[in-house]
Amino acid sequence: PADAPTLDVQRKALGVLRDGRLGQAGHVAVHVLLVWLHAARRNTHETLVHARRALQAASVALEPGALALRHVHGERFFATLLPALAMTRPAADFALSHVLPLLPRTLSPRLACAVLRCCATARNASVALDVVSRLPEAAAASPKVRELLLRALLRGGRPAAALQELRELTYALPGASPSDTTFALVVAHTAHTSLRAAEHAFDAWLHVAAHHGRVGRALLAQYDAVGLTHDARTTLRQSSFAPPHGRLPSEVLSALGTPPAEPQSRASGFLRTSELHVLTALLRGYAAAGLLDRSRMWETWLIKALASGALRVRPELVACLALVQRAHLVRRSVEHVRACLDLIVAVDRAAAGGLMTRPMLRLNQLPVFRMLTYLAHKDKLLRNDMRGYLADAQAAHLWAHILPERPD
């Protein structure tokens, strides 16, 4: 975000570039820093400008203050630059077309992981498979490389191959387990084609993460109360995400030598950020499919947790809930718009000083307000219902952010 500390670092970095005493290697390092700053703010043009300048520098430069040469474009340089380029699609495409040809034929695991992140963002499964083939056999079989390959295959349109990687990582490799972030990606992508499969993926993640002790008691208790839809529940054992031979996930993981861990009961962490990502991926699927009653069960639970203070308001929470709200708004019905407004009002009440007074929260919420503004302009009935609903909820002040009154 364009906050004051970030802009201050950017100004200082640009000032350093004008210092002739820094040397070639120092200038390249500053350009890489600026790539990270602009990439984090999704400023693609400036990201690519500084990435090109970093790459155009001479590969070998004289070390300032010493009679020695320094290799500027080494493994450390590329391993630092590539993850920043992986943050946005255009930058990731640039990395695969301009940076990848500069890398050696045989890649180290560190460089391969950095390139695979770009492949996942660029949705390029073919390059990802080629990168893995350039690794030594032992490195290609590492859980980290396999997991990043899984993400690239999934986003690159090869769900069958991605599912095979997921099953092997989850149920075949001792000590390996896909991260919660990867499971969130699986649930979100699967929900586009089959909500039942997305529920199966969520159920598999919950049992696997619970076995490893990565899920809190609050989420487990709510899942026991809510469960899955009837269709998903009756086909659970036959799902592609279930362990082989109809066994339970805990049985398979215990057989691999991973004993079950105690579920976490965090007094100051109702939901971890990773748990929230997987859960909201499922809620987006419910909202997109029009299953308002299913999404409401979970959303009511989150709203109560916000009201009681068990769930703290933080930027990641607002960003995750904003994706759910946008899925509701795509439906363009009164009920879905009200579900979106309920989440906004709950966060606004729980946030100290309000939702729109804190820059990080406001930036994450703005895309939803833009969608609400569009709907308010397009549909007069929805506009009147939104305004009245916020007034009834004693949150009329939020209407000024949806449809500000024009000065006379």
Side-chain angles (χ1 to χ4, degrees):
D3 52 6
T6 304
L7 295 176
D8 184 53
V9 171
Q10 182 180 327
R11 282 192 294 269
K12 290 180 179 178
L14 291 173
V16 168
L17 285 176
R18 292 189 287 268
D19 189 346
R21 299 168 298 173
L22 190 61
Q24 183 81 343
H27 277 254
V28 170
V30 173
H31 280 304
V32 173
L33 170 63
L34 289 168
V35 168
W36 272 94
L37 291 174
H38 288 295
R41 294 167 55 192
R42 300 296 189 268
N43 189 341
T44 303
H45 175 72
E46 292 298 325
T47 298
L48 296 181
V49 166
H50 290 287
R52 288 191 179 95
R53 290 175 181 172
L55 292 170
Q56 289 168 357
S59 297
V60 180
L62 186 65
E63 184 74 22
L67 295 177
L69 294 177
R70 179 176 177 180
H71 193 61
V72 176
H73 293 158
E75 177 177 332
R76 183 179 179 183
F77 165 76
F78 288 115
T80 306
L81 176 66
L82 286 168
L85 297 178
M87 291 186 188
T88 61
R89 177 75 181 269
D93 289 333
F94 172 84
L96 297 185
S97 58
H98 292 81
V99 182
L100 184 58
L102 303 177
L103 302 182
R105 176 64 193 171
T106 302
L107 298 175
S108 67
R110 183 186 181 189
L111 273 182
C113 288
V115 176
L116 286 173
R117 293 182 188 277
C118 293
C119 292
T121 306
R123 303 176 186 270
N124 197 323
S126 300
V127 174
L129 290 169
D130 178 67
V131 167
V132 174
S133 69
R134 293 163 62 174
L135 285 171
E137 186 176 350
S142 72
K144 186 64 175 177
V145 170
R146 298 282 294 275
E147 184 174 350
L148 291 173
L149 175 62
L150 185 163
R151 296 186 194 180
L153 291 172
L154 186 66
R155 293 176 63 89
R158 301 195 184 183
L163 177 59
Q164 182 62 30
E165 290 288 341
L166 180 70
R167 289 177 64 84
E168 290 186 10
L169 277 172
T170 306
Y171 303 122
L173 293 181
S177 176
S179 67
D180 298 335
T181 303
T182 296
F183 267 110
L185 184 65
V186 171
V187 172
H189 272 260
T190 309
H192 291 307
T193 55
S194 171
L195 183 59
R196 181 178 63 182
E199 287 189 289
H200 290 162
F202 180 82
D203 178 85
W205 164 75
L206 194 70
H207 285 90
V208 170
H211 187 89
H212 289 281
R214 301 201 308 257
V215 176
R217 288 191 174 94
L219 183 59
L220 290 173
Q222 177 65 9
Y223 181 71
D224 290 339
V226 173
L228 304 174
T229 59
H230 176 75
D231 186 26
R233 189 168 59 252
T234 54
T235 57
L236 189 57
R237 290 299 182 92
Q238 294 80 37
S239 80
S240 302
F241 299 95
H245 311 300
R247 303 168 69 186
L248 295 174
S250 57
E251 294 176 354
V252 177
L253 295 175
S254 296
L256 289 175
T258 305
E262 284 294 321
Q264 300 184 28
S265 56
R266 295 172 295 277
S268 60
F270 185 75
L271 278 179
R272 292 190 313 161
T273 301
S274 56
E275 293 174 86
L276 190 66
H277 276 289
V278 188
L279 175 59
T280 51
L282 180 64
L283 298 188
R284 285 153 53 193
Y286 283 146
L291 297 182
L292 188 61
D293 58 334
R294 298 293 308 175
S295 63
R296 279 287 203 177
M297 292 178 185
W298 285 100
E299 290 164 13
T300 301
W301 175 65
L302 293 173
I303 289 171
K304 289 180 178 177
L306 284 167
S308 66
L311 184 58
R312 293 186 300 106
V313 176
R314 53 190 189 275
E316 296 86 355
L317 171 71
V318 177
C320 288
L321 292 182
L323 293 175
V324 179
Q325 294 159 22
R326 291 167 70 180
H328 278 301
L329 294 180
V330 169
R331 303 291 300 185
R332 296 194 178 189
S333 69
V334 171
E335 293 77 13
H336 281 275
V337 171
R338 287 183 174 185
C340 167
L341 295 178
D342 284 340
L343 289 172
I344 295 175
V345 171
V347 174
D348 181 66
R349 287 174 177 169
L355 173 61
M356 304 304 287
T357 60
R358 295 167 60 180
M360 294 294 292
L361 303 185
R362 185 180 67 250
L363 286 171
N364 289 334
Q365 190 64 53
L366 278 179
V368 177
F369 280 123
R370 293 193 188 103
M371 289 186 71
L372 288 169
T373 302
Y374 174 81
L375 291 177
H377 281 298
K378 295 290 287 186
D379 192 323
K380 185 177 180 180
L381 293 177
L382 268 182
R383 178 171 72 245
N384 293 335
D385 186 83
M386 280 190 279
R387 189 167 192 172
Y389 196 71
L390 287 175
D392 293 341
Q394 297 182 348
H397 61 281
L398 292 173
W399 182 251
H401 300 284
I402 298 173
L403 205 63
E405 293 185 2
R406 297 179 180 179
D408 295 333

